[in-house]
Amino acid sequence: GAMTIAVVTKPFPFEGSKNMRNADDAIDRLKDVADAVIVISNRNVLKIIPDDLSLEASFQVIDEIVNQVVLSIVHMLTKRGISTADFADVRSVLRGGGIALIGMGFGSGERAAKDAAMAAMTSPLLDSTLNEATGILVNIVGGKSLSLQKIDEALRVIQNNSDQNANIVMSAHLNNEYPADSVSITLLATSFKKDVITRNIRDYIAESPA
């Protein structure tokens, strides 16, 4: 009954096409032994790192993204809150899902939930459109003002931009360290209808040095 989830980062384009192909081969092998392989594109991480950020701090950003992905899944299963997904729900999305991609978003104020949902769906880390995925995990974290109405608003935005038959599993909880009117959303999209990774590999190689 165990479920195996792998989290990997892909090379930067400047690391060359050979490394890109090696990463592609490794992910293909990993898919054979893991229920889901969460792929974080370092090319896309570059889009969210400020140009003046130091090398050390930039790698800390990547580490924090990986940490956030793992914590989101763990919190969905273990953290009691407004809504908690059970193991069977999470497994129904991830088991046999193949490649999984992530999106992260943040919002504050009156439209916090909607803005966080839109930001997560358009996140540079989400290397595909959400409507190409047929399995989606949604982890919502908010300050003390997070309400059922705001959760509903966020889910409606995600549902309206997803495949109509997508299996969407959600969890939501409060974090007292958040400002009262803020919301963060982490999406984990999997079971893609198209081979988005192969398509993205071609893009990687095209912009990488030989």
Side-chain angles (χ1 to χ4, degrees):
M3 182 170 58
T4 303
I5 302 169
V7 182
V8 302
T9 58
K10 292 189 61 61
F12 293 100
F14 59 73
E15 295 181 75
S17 59
K18 181 179 179 181
N19 283 335
M20 297 295 180
R21 293 189 182 94
N22 288 340
D24 184 25
D25 291 341
I27 290 173
D28 279 340
R29 293 195 300 272
L30 197 53
K31 285 193 298 182
D32 293 336
V33 296
D35 290 293
V37 181
I38 301 171
V39 178
I40 298 171
S41 158
N42 279 344
R43 176 187 65 174
N44 291 339
V45 171
L46 286 174
K47 299 175 183 178
I48 64 175
I49 294 178
D51 292 342
D52 59 350
L53 198 64
S54 70
L55 184 63
E56 181 180 4
S58 297
F59 280 105
Q60 288 176 350
V61 170
I62 298 173
D63 290 342
E64 180 57 33
I65 291 171
V66 174
N67 182 60
Q68 183 62 41
V69 171
V70 174
L71 283 179
S72 292
I73 297 173
V74 172
H75 286 171
M76 288 190 77
L77 293 170
T78 64
K79 199 172 183 67
R80 295 299 167 186
I82 300 172
S83 175
T84 305
D86 62 27
F87 181 75
D89 291 333
V90 174
R91 182 171 57 184
S92 73
V93 173
L94 294 180
R95 173 154 283 183
I99 297 299
L101 302 175
I102 63 168
M104 297 178 178
F106 183 83
S108 61
E110 188 66 29
R111 289 177 45 90
K114 289 182 179 179
D115 289 347
M118 289 300 300
M121 291 189 303
T122 57
S123 169
L125 297 175
L126 190 62
D127 222 358
S128 178
T129 57
L130 201 61
N131 60 13
E132 291 183 315
T134 57
I136 304 169
L137 293 180
V138 183
N139 188 44
I140 302 174
V141 183
K144 63 181 181 180
S145 296
L146 181 64
S147 63
L148 290 176
Q149 288 78 10
K150 289 184 178 180
I151 293 171
D152 180 67
E153 289 175 358
L155 264 295
R156 286 179 182 272
V157 170
I158 293 168
Q159 290 167 346
N160 290 339
N161 289 275
S162 304
D163 184 278
Q164 61 179 358
N165 297 315
N167 179 17
I168 302 176
V169 172
M170 180 275 297
S171 73
H173 62 271
L174 301 177
N175 187 328
N176 292 329
E177 295 181 0
Y178 274 40
D181 64 346
S182 65
V183 175
S184 70
I185 293 179
T186 301
L187 299 176
L188 191 59
T190 190
S191 298
F192 286 92
K193 294 179 287 186
K194 299 179 181 178
D195 190 355
V196 295
I197 297 303
T198 297
R199 182 182 65 204
N200 293 333
I201 291 291
R202 289 196 294 265
D203 293 341
Y204 266 55
I205 293 176
E207 59 186 65
S208 300

